[in-house]
Amino acid sequence: MTTRIPAKAKSILFLLSATGTTTLALHASKPNFSPDLVTSFPQRIGAGISATVRSSRALFTIASNIVDYKYSLHRIDAASDEYGALLSQVHLRAARRILKLCETNKGFYVKAGQFIAAMRQVPKEYAATLSSLQDQAVPCNFQAIKAVLIRNLGKDLSDVFMFFDEHPIAAASIAQVHRALLKDHQEVAVKVQYPGLEQQMILDTSTMSFLSTIVAWIFPEYRFQWAVLEFVKTVSLELDFIQEAKNSERTAKNFLKNKIIKVPAVFWEFTSGQVLTMELCRGNKVDDLEFMKRNHINPLKVGKALVDLFAEMIFIHGFVHGDPHPGNILVSTEGEHGFSLVLLDHGIYRLLDDDFRKEYCKLWKAMILLDAKSIYSIGERFGIGRYAKFLPLIFTGRTIDR
């Protein structure tokens, strides 16, 4: 189903697109980007043009969604069944427009789409539609990747590696991973950041913040401006490979005595802000039951080890992996217990202070003992007041009085 946008409403689209184009063009012209990302005047002009096109495309998409919501639901009683059905249709059309935008603009837009798809708070039409972005990752041209490697390592690849596979073994929205062999025959995985991401992040996240502000102004009930700030914070962390390497070593130290958990070792001599060289660890995704069956690995033992891993992170260390999807947790056939869990991608971590962790322990104790009074009391201290009644439903699937 499609909706024709009335002629008078098109002015909103053109106004937003023109405003955004001007704003982002000004951003693109600022000479405050890292010099090794845009190295010449023609490249800077090209980056400015690309930024203008990308931002204008985003602005037109969101403006189209705004008009669709406004005119499709105009004068419809919000309490009626018709409103609910129409709202679902508009959600779906809007989500499809955003999906097309993410697929076209790529880069951080794909990352943002993945971020939205993972949020429980968004309408189901958005989560379902944008979830297709989880598997989208187009590898970067190797010549561009090679330039990033040489610039960061300060040497030609032949001076560092005995072998370097030009074909990536994994690719994501901000980096790709290549298999290589160091001069001492150590097999490594080299994670390389796509060129120009720092500049692109500034431009794309500026556009997203601008759009979020516009939507909040037009729709006072919109409550997702915090999500843009969280996304920007998360992406900024992922772009710093030095910090990722430090997080990796801290986690390895935390689980030094745990013979089931494996964290790849970092090779600091060949690591920088845009290149991360680490020990190559083989394995299959933690949800690959067929792999476990073929290798006689008990999925229940893997599940218990996984629960123990994150329970220890939360309750003991207070240093928690922030992106634990199946692609970042591998099951390996190596290990004293017949298998091991390989923990990858340490860019995002959450620090939990002692007070929070103690309260969180008390919350679980209260839920297990069906102590509704304590649950409400803890909810007050967490700042969620009467909404504490939903905590047992979220964590255990049962209501507070069951």
Side-chain angles (χ1 to χ4, degrees):
M1 177 180 176
T2 58
T3 295
R4 290 185 61 188
I5 298 175
K8 65 178 182 179
K10 289 183 179 179
S11 60
I12 298 176
L13 305 184
F14 293 128
L15 175 62
L16 283 175
S17 296
T19 304
T21 299
T22 303
T23 302
L24 271 297
L26 288 172
H27 269 289
S29 65
K30 292 180 180 180
N32 59 349
F33 302 121
S34 180
D36 61 349
L37 297 177
V38 181
T39 56
S40 68
F41 182 73
Q43 286 178 302
R44 191 173 293 118
I45 292 298
I49 293 172
S50 174
T52 300
V53 172
R54 288 160 61 82
S55 59
S56 296
R57 191 183 290 132
L59 289 159
F60 191 85
T61 297
I62 299 303
S64 297
N65 283 351
I66 289 172
V67 172
D68 196 355
Y69 276 100
K70 283 291 185 183
Y71 281 86
S72 297
L73 303 173
H74 187 55
R75 294 180 181 176
I76 306 293
D77 184 0
S80 67
D81 292 337
E82 180 187 8
Y83 183 90
L86 282 174
L87 181 61
S88 179
Q89 293 173 13
V90 179
H91 281 334
L92 186 58
R93 288 197 298 269
R96 286 172 176 169
R97 291 189 192 104
I98 292 176
L99 174 63
K100 184 178 180 181
L101 169 68
C102 294
E103 291 174 336
T104 304
N105 275 3
K106 297 184 172 56
F108 288 104
Y109 283 86
V110 171
K111 196 77 178 174
Q114 294 170 345
F115 187 82
I116 294 171
M119 291 172 57
R120 293 185 178 184
Q121 300 94 328
V122 300
K124 64 181 184 297
E125 293 84 358
Y126 282 87
T129 302
L130 296 175
S131 62
S132 65
L133 293 169
Q134 299 292 351
D135 298 321
Q136 285 202 16
V138 180
C140 185
N141 178 277
F142 182 69
Q143 291 306 312
I145 291 295
K146 184 178 179 180
V148 174
L149 282 163
I150 293 173
R151 185 171 63 244
N152 280 267
L153 299 179
K155 300 177 182 178
D156 191 75
L157 297 191
S158 60
D159 295 328
V160 178
F161 304 102
M162 181 177 293
F163 166 80
F164 194 98
D165 191 348
E166 295 185 7
H167 303 286
I169 56 176
S173 53
I174 67 168
Q176 62 192 49
V177 181
H178 292 259
R179 186 174 66 89
L181 202 63
L182 295 175
K183 291 290 188 177
D184 62 357
H185 298 275
Q186 170 68 50
E187 198 171 18
V188 293
V190 185
K191 184 176 180 180
V192 189
Q193 198 173 115
Y194 298 137
L197 281 188
E198 181 184 336
Q199 178 191 24
Q200 193 180 93
M201 183 191 75
I202 294 171
L203 296 168
D204 287 350
T205 55
S206 294
T207 302
M208 293 173 195
S209 296
F210 173 77
L211 290 173
S212 184
T213 301
I214 290 295
V215 172
W217 176 63
I218 296 174
F219 296 101
E221 65 273 22
Y222 174 78
R223 292 290 184 271
F224 291 101
Q225 282 185 284
W226 64 269
V228 177
L229 296 174
E230 186 65 21
F231 173 70
V232 173
K233 179 182 176 182
T234 298
V235 166
S236 298
L237 290 173
E238 287 194 85
L239 288 183
D240 186 354
F241 285 3
I242 293 291
Q243 186 59 51
E244 178 174 345
K246 291 178 179 178
N247 292 344
S248 176
E249 290 201 332
R250 178 171 175 177
T251 300
K253 184 178 179 180
N254 287 344
F255 290 94
L256 190 61
K257 296 181 180 179
N258 190 318
K259 301 305 180 183
I260 294 180
I261 307 305
K262 172 71 175 176
V263 179
V266 175
F267 292 83
W268 282 102
E269 184 182 355
F270 310 114
T271 293
S272 69
Q274 293 178 305
V275 174
L276 173 57
T277 302
M278 53 200 154
E279 174 188 4
L280 180 66
C281 295
R282 289 181 169 82
N284 282 46
K285 291 183 179 181
V286 74
D287 61 352
D288 190 341
L289 294 177
E290 286 300 318
F291 169 79
M292 294 183 218
K293 184 178 179 180
R294 287 196 309 270
N295 290 279
H296 309 290
I297 298 173
N298 188 336
L300 293 179
K301 290 184 178 179
V302 172
K304 182 181 183 304
L306 194 60
V307 170
D308 289 345
L309 165 64
F310 282 93
E312 186 171 338
M313 281 186 171
I314 293 168
F315 294 110
I316 298 176
H317 307 305
F319 190 62
V320 185
H321 194 296
D323 193 19
H325 62 74
N328 285 340
I329 307 171
L330 305 182
V331 177
S332 170
T333 56
E334 300 175 2
E336 295 180 8
H337 300 271
F339 74 94
S340 59
L341 292 179
V342 181
L343 197 58
L344 305 174
D345 200 346
H346 301 270
I348 305 171
Y349 268 77
R350 292 289 182 266
L351 286 169
L352 308 179
D353 61 44
D354 289 349
D355 289 340
F356 171 82
R357 288 187 289 126
K358 288 175 183 176
E359 292 291 344
Y360 195 52
C361 285
K362 292 175 183 176
L363 172 62
W364 274 100
K365 179 181 177 181
M367 289 191 295
I368 291 169
L369 297 178
L370 306 180
D371 185 351
K373 183 178 179 181
S374 292
I375 292 172
Y376 278 113
S377 177
I378 294 166
E380 287 290 340
R381 295 196 291 276
F382 277 168
I384 60 175
R386 60 190 177 89
Y387 295 107
K389 66 181 180 182
F390 296 114
L391 290 175
L393 191 62
I394 293 169
F395 288 114
T396 68
R398 68 186 184 202
T399 58
I400 197 168
D401 54 355
R402 280 182 60 191

